[in-house]
């Protein structure tokens, strides 16, 4: 892969300067530090990953996925600010520009290994080549050393462990490509969310400004949070044309208690508005809105 890190770093130094105090503001954008977990999953979904995995250790976190490997454009985007490769694509849910910077709450030097290329990022915008690691051919690996001087590693582990343990079926339902989220903690506790499509249908639509709605039945199982449990969801999505050049997808999901002896829609409590992942905004409707 032909990627000139020296050239990227030189351009970034011209644009952002040699100081970094103004860039430190980036890691405080989100109300919860552990939100970066969702940012990583979003970026994996946007490169069509079907599997993601978190491995948490006492001194670092590893995150891997089986989506498209890094390109030269991705390397440049992840080491800049608000320059994500998806910023003009309304069908993509993540951006390398701001969202990825949330990882700097836990590390000062993230490492990325993808295909035959590996690099780290120092001071938010300065990429440097590092020795490669042996990877499965279709995996991309992120490594986040817990090396912040103002945040103890054991507290990081505690915070990230709690966030991973709270992932549930509603964290997975609106992710188009991802079928499996796995995690393993330092205590050897592990968990997995998996999603299977039970049925898929195209529903008629008379609205000329929108495409037909698609109905999908999902079976989502979880192992590791409360033992083993499963939920079935009925998801409906519709592509809506915003203007002549762009569109967006609106989705709703109903909890289907199929295991109770037939199709029976149950009220979802609490019903939270989603932006691919749950937000803290409640909506009084009894189903999920994305």
């Amino acid at each position: 892969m032909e990627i000139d890190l020296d050239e990227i770093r030189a351009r970034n130094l011209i644009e952002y300067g040699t100081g970094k105090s103004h860039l430190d503001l980036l890691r405080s954008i989100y109300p919860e530090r552990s939100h970066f977990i969702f940012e990583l999953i979003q970026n994996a979904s946007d490169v069509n990953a079907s599997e993601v995995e978190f491995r948490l250790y006492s001194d670092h976190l590893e995150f891997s996925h089986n989506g498209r490997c890094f390109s030269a454009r991705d390397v440049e985007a992840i080491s800049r600010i608000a320059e994500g490769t998806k910023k003009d694509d309304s069908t993509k849910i993540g951006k390398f520009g701001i969202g990825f910077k949330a990882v700097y709450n836990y590390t000062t030097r993230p490492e990325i290994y993808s295909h035959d290329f590996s690099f780290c990022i120092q001071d938010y915008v300065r990429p440097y080549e590092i020795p490669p690691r042996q990877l499965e051919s279709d995996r991309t690996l992120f490594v986040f050393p817990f090396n912040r001087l103002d945040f103890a590693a054991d507290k990081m582990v505690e915070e990230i462990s709690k966030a991973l343990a709270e992932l549930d079926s509603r964290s997975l339902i609106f992710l188009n490509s991802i079928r499996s989220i796995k995690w393993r903690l330092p205590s050897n506790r592990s968990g997995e969310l998996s999603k299977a499509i039970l049925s898929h249908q195209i529903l008629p639509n008379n609205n000329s400004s929108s495409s037909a709605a698609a109905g999908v039945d999902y079976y989502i199982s979880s192992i590791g949070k409360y033992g083993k449990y499963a939920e079935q969801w009925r998801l409906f999505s519709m592509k809506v044309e915003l203007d002549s050049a762009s569109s967006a997808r609106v989705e709703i999901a109903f909890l289907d208690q199929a295991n109770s002896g037939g199709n029976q829609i149950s009220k979802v409590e609490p019903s939270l508005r989603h932006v691919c992942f749950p937000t803290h905004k409640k909506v009084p409707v009894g189903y999920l809105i994305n």
Side-chain angles (χ1 to χ4, degrees):
M1 183 186 300
E2 293 296 328
I3 301 176
D4 191 337
L5 294 181
D6 293 336
E7 181 182 347
I8 294 173
R9 191 167 59 252
R11 284 203 303 268
N12 288 353
L13 287 175
I14 291 173
E15 181 160 353
Y16 305 118
T18 56
K20 64 185 179 107
S21 59
H22 59 299
L23 299 178
D24 285 335
L25 294 172
L26 292 170
R27 63 187 177 93
S28 61
I29 287 175
Y30 296 102
E32 297 177 357
R33 283 188 297 246
S34 57
H35 190 279
F36 84 103
I37 288 173
F38 294 123
E39 297 295 336
L40 295 174
I41 298 173
Q42 283 182 345
N43 283 328
S45 178
D46 285 340
V47 293
N48 297 318
S50 61
E51 303 173 0
V52 304
E53 183 174 8
F54 293 89
R55 294 190 178 188
L56 181 59
Y57 300 89
S58 61
D59 61 352
H60 73 283
L61 172 69
E62 295 185 1
F63 171 75
S64 64
H65 65 71
N66 67 343
R68 174 179 59 77
C69 292
F70 262 61
S71 66
R73 190 180 178 201
D74 291 330
V75 174
E76 184 163 4
I78 203 172
S79 59
R80 291 175 63 81
I81 300 169
E83 289 288 343
T85 60
K86 293 156 280 188
K87 63 180 181 179
D88 297 321
D89 187 347
S90 61
T91 68
K92 300 300 184 182
I93 58 179
K95 296 186 179 183
F96 279 136
I98 295 296
F100 182 80
K101 300 302 185 286
V103 306
Y104 290 100
N105 280 306
Y106 299 91
T107 187
T108 63
R109 185 180 178 271
E111 302 169 4
I112 298 96
Y113 304 86
S114 187
H115 192 50
D116 59 353
F117 188 74
S118 52
F119 65 103
C120 69
I121 306 174
Q122 294 184 184
D123 298 331
Y124 305 100
V125 295
R126 303 180 190 182
Y128 293 89
E129 189 169 359
I130 57 176
R133 283 179 51 163
Q134 187 67 36
L135 302 174
E136 296 179 38
S137 60
D138 63 343
R139 307 295 288 191
T140 291
L141 172 68
F142 296 78
V143 179
F144 306 107
F146 297 151
N147 54 11
R148 293 200 62 87
L149 298 178
D150 56 350
F151 193 2
D154 61 335
K155 296 298 183 183
M156 296 186 191
V157 171
E158 180 182 343
E159 198 168 90
I160 296 173
S161 296
K162 181 176 182 293
L164 290 173
E166 290 177 349
L167 292 172
D168 60 15
S169 63
R170 302 178 192 189
S171 307
L172 185 58
I173 188 169
F174 291 118
L175 297 174
N176 291 329
S177 68
I178 293 181
R179 298 288 180 263
S180 172
I181 301 176
K182 298 179 181 179
W183 62 93
R184 189 179 69 188
L185 307 181
S187 61
N188 284 328
R189 284 184 56 201
S190 61
E192 178 180 358
L193 280 169
S194 62
K195 178 170 68 175
I197 297 178
L198 300 180
S199 65
H200 185 274
Q201 59 181 320
I202 302 298
L203 307 178
N205 175 43
N206 297 321
N207 186 347
S208 60
S209 65
S210 306
S211 63
V216 181
D217 287 346
Y218 282 130
Y219 178 84
I220 302 180
S221 64
S222 175
I223 302 174
K225 185 181 179 185
Y226 304 117
K228 182 175 182 179
Y229 78 97
E231 291 181 333
Q232 186 165 318
W233 292 86
R234 311 202 79 178
L235 182 145
F236 300 90
S237 64
M238 180 177 290
K239 184 179 179 181
V240 179
E241 304 299 330
L242 301 178
D243 52 45
S244 58
S246 62
S247 62
R249 186 164 293 280
V250 179
E251 299 173 302
I252 58 174
F254 299 93
L255 182 59
D256 186 348
Q257 299 286 48
N259 295 331
S260 63
N263 293 338
Q264 180 180 341
I265 301 301
S266 297
K267 186 175 182 179
V268 174
E269 300 241 25
S271 180
L272 300 176
R273 180 178 299 161
H274 281 58
V275 183
C276 294
F277 294 102
T279 68
H280 296 297
K281 180 66 175 178
K282 294 183 179 180
V283 286
V285 291
Y287 49 86
L288 306 182
I289 301 176
N290 184 45

